[in-house]
Amino acid sequence: MSNNEKTNLPIAVDLLDNKKSITVLNSENETILQSIMKELDADKYNSIVTMDNYKVMKESATELNKTSKFISDFRIAKKKDEMKHIDEFEINLKGYCQLINTKRDIIKNGLNVFEEETRKQVLAVCEDYLKTDIELKSLREEFADIDVADMTATKYMTAKGLIAKPGKDEVEKRVNKKLALQNKVDMRLMNLENECLKNGIAPMSKEYIQGFLYEDDATYQEKLNALIQIEVQRVEQEKKRLEEEARIKAEKEARDKVLAEQKALKDELHARYESLIKTADMPNLTRINLELKSYDVAATYELRQLSKQRETELLAPKDEVQEVDESPQEEHLRAIQEEMPKTVSNPYQELNVPEDGKVNKILSISIRVPVNATDEQVIGAVINIIKADRFPIENFEVK
């Protein structure tokens, strides 16, 4: 807009100069605003419209319209003009940044490569020192699982590529921690034998406590005490079991010994007296009976029965045929015949019944006795019952 156009405006807008930048105009905003507000305070813009001032007020409205249009056009033109400079400014400065960033990236890539190689070198230096410290402190393999992969900071290595003091301190701290654990485990294993012996059980091996060997002190002691109690109970149960087995074995050996002695005595007496009884006369038979009374009844029972039979033979008249009661034999044979298969037609022929009509029978009995009764007492009681019975039983043998 030309100066003439601005001069024709009723409101002073001289401060809106094209030569001024937007920044400058923004800084003069208060001055421009006060100038416009002052012009707008004139009477021609503030009178009530009447017939007398109608023409004047209409002209005032037209003037204000022209002024508003001037300001709007100035704004648009100024912004458009300024935007060209801003776009150019932006392009220029972006170009500057691109040049600088390109050079920066080149340097940064170099730094990354250097830092990566340096980290590897620092880590290698720390790992070498770790091996040295492990060997120096005699750390066993199971405790040597120490991780130093995070030790890549340049502070851990000197400029000459040696381990720096911070690196030594950090590695030694980690090794010492494992060394303390190793010493604690060794002490626990050394005390384990004493703990077991103190509780009366055999020393446990490392495998028994492997599951909690590396726990903290409170947890370790709690689990160890529980395990020892279990082992104590197991030992007690095993002790009772062995004692019971030993008792049963001792009783059996004693019983077997008694039976063996009885059998040996019985065999000895049979070998000594059986043939003598069969051929003895009355005086010798009386002498034999007296001798037999000095021995156990069970061992001499069959011999005494044989002696009675011989006595009967000696006392029987030679010309008198002794009548033999065959009813027990007949009843016994009938019972056998009923149990035999039908294909057996002659039970006497099959069974080979002896001339005296008697057979041997082996019986198995079950009786209730006091819980504290010994086998010898039970056997003696059975023998007394049999002796008291009148049923003719011969050759009685206890096994």
Side-chain angles (χ1 to χ4, degrees):
M1 183 176 288
S2 65
N3 290 332
N4 291 332
E5 290 176 333
K6 289 197 295 181
T7 303
N8 294 331
L9 293 176
I11 299 177
V13 288
D14 292 339
L15 295 177
L16 299 178
D17 190 347
N18 285 330
K19 295 179 181 180
K20 296 179 180 181
S21 67
I22 291 177
T23 305
V24 173
L25 291 173
N26 286 340
S27 66
E28 296 177 351
N29 174 64
E30 190 63 28
T31 302
I32 297 172
L33 182 59
Q34 292 298 326
S35 175
I36 293 174
M37 291 179 64
K38 183 178 179 181
E39 290 294 333
L40 291 177
D41 282 342
D43 291 341
K44 63 179 179 178
Y45 302 121
N46 296 285
S47 300
I48 297 174
V49 180
T50 63
M51 288 297 295
D52 294 333
N53 64 3
Y54 173 79
K55 184 177 180 180
V56 175
M57 296 302 291
K58 188 173 181 179
E59 290 176 356
S60 296
T62 301
E63 291 172 356
L64 292 175
N65 186 52
K66 288 180 180 180
T67 302
S68 177
K69 185 175 183 303
F70 168 77
I71 294 174
S72 178
D73 291 342
F74 179 82
R75 174 184 62 78
I76 294 171
K78 190 65 178 175
K79 180 179 178 182
K80 185 176 181 180
D81 183 59
E82 290 280 343
M83 284 300 296
K84 292 179 181 179
H85 298 295
I86 291 174
D87 291 342
E88 184 178 356
F89 172 80
E90 186 175 359
I91 292 171
N92 291 338
L93 267 65
K94 283 184 178 180
Y96 306 154
C97 290
Q98 185 174 0
L99 290 173
I100 294 171
N101 291 341
T102 300
K103 182 60 65 177
R104 179 206 63 193
D105 291 342
I106 294 174
I107 296 174
K108 188 175 181 180
N109 290 335
L111 290 173
N112 290 337
V113 172
F114 175 79
E115 290 173 357
E116 180 62 25
E117 292 299 321
T118 302
R119 283 193 292 269
K120 292 180 181 179
Q121 187 178 358
V122 172
L123 180 59
V125 169
C126 292
E127 289 176 341
D128 288 341
Y129 188 75
L130 174 64
K131 293 179 182 177
T132 301
D133 202 39
I134 287 176
E135 293 177 359
L136 179 65
K137 295 174 179 175
S138 300
L139 199 64
R140 296 194 296 274
E141 183 178 356
E142 61 180 303
F143 298 96
D145 55 337
I146 301 173
D147 186 15
V148 293
D150 60 317
M151 295 184 64
T152 58
T154 54
K155 66 178 181 179
Y156 295 136
M157 186 181 70
T158 65
K160 295 182 179 180
L162 303 176
I163 187 75
K165 187 177 184 306
K168 288 183 178 180
D169 293 343
E170 182 62 27
V171 170
E172 291 176 2
K173 182 179 74 173
R174 300 184 185 189
V175 173
N176 289 338
K177 184 178 179 180
K178 287 289 187 176
L179 180 61
L181 179 59
Q182 176 178 285
N183 293 335
K184 178 184 288 188
V185 169
D186 290 345
M187 183 62 67
R188 287 175 176 177
L189 292 175
M190 186 170 61
N191 292 334
L192 180 61
E193 181 176 357
N194 294 333
E195 289 287 337
C196 293
L197 295 177
K198 184 173 66 176
N199 287 275
I201 60 176
M204 290 185 288
S205 63
K206 179 181 178 181
E207 288 69 22
Y208 278 82
I209 60 173
Q210 187 68 41
F212 56 89
L213 181 59
Y214 305 97
E215 297 283 358
D216 60 89
D217 291 342
T219 303
Y220 170 78
Q221 197 61 47
E222 179 183 355
K223 293 185 177 180
L224 177 61
N225 291 339
L227 181 61
I228 287 177
Q229 290 305 312
I230 293 174
E231 189 64 13
V232 167
Q233 294 175 3
R234 188 194 67 78
V235 170
E236 287 295 329
Q237 293 174 354
E238 181 66 11
K239 181 180 178 181
K240 291 180 180 179
R241 185 186 67 81
L242 293 176
E243 289 176 350
E244 180 65 14
E245 289 182 354
R247 184 189 65 78
I248 294 173
K249 181 179 178 182
E251 290 181 356
K252 182 179 183 301
E253 290 177 351
R255 184 170 59 253
D256 292 344
K257 182 180 179 181
V258 170
L259 294 176
E261 291 175 351
Q262 289 179 347
K263 184 178 186 304
L265 178 60
K266 178 181 177 182
D267 292 343
E268 180 186 349
L269 294 176
H270 272 259
R272 186 190 307 172
Y273 290 108
E274 185 173 5
S275 60
L276 295 176
I277 291 173
K278 289 180 179 180
T279 59
D281 53 16
M282 280 303 297
N284 287 325
L285 189 62
T286 302
R287 177 183 57 81
I288 292 173
N289 287 332
L290 291 174
E291 292 179 3
L292 291 177
K293 288 182 178 180
S294 63
Y295 297 102
D296 184 75
V297 175
T300 60
Y301 179 80
E302 294 178 1
L303 291 174
R304 286 189 285 108
Q305 295 300 316
L306 181 61
S307 178
K308 289 181 180 179
Q309 181 179 347
R310 177 58 179 167
E311 182 179 356
T312 302
E313 293 176 357
L314 292 173
L315 295 178
K318 298 187 183 289
D319 56 351
E320 181 181 342
V321 178
Q322 186 176 3
E323 184 178 354
V324 179
D325 184 8
E326 296 182 352
S327 58
Q329 178 183 355
E330 293 175 356
E331 292 178 2
H332 177 66
L333 291 177
R334 279 197 299 271
I336 294 176
Q337 189 173 13
E338 291 176 358
E339 295 177 359
M340 291 178 59
K342 295 181 179 180
T343 55
V344 179
S345 57
N346 189 347
Y348 291 93
Q349 181 179 357
E350 289 292 325
L351 294 175
N352 296 321
V353 179
E355 294 179 357
D356 61 357
K358 298 182 180 180
V359 295
N360 293 331
K361 285 194 174 184
I362 299 175
L363 303 179
S364 174
I365 64 174
S366 174
I367 61 175
R368 294 179 61 83
V369 298
V371 68
N372 57 351
T374 64
D375 292 349
E376 289 76 14
Q377 292 173 331
V378 175
I379 292 173
V382 173
I383 292 174
N384 291 333
I385 293 173
I386 295 174
K387 289 170 61 178
D389 198 339
R390 295 182 178 179
F391 189 85
I393 300 178
E394 299 177 3
N395 299 327
F396 178 79
E397 180 179 4
V398 178
K399 293 186 178 179

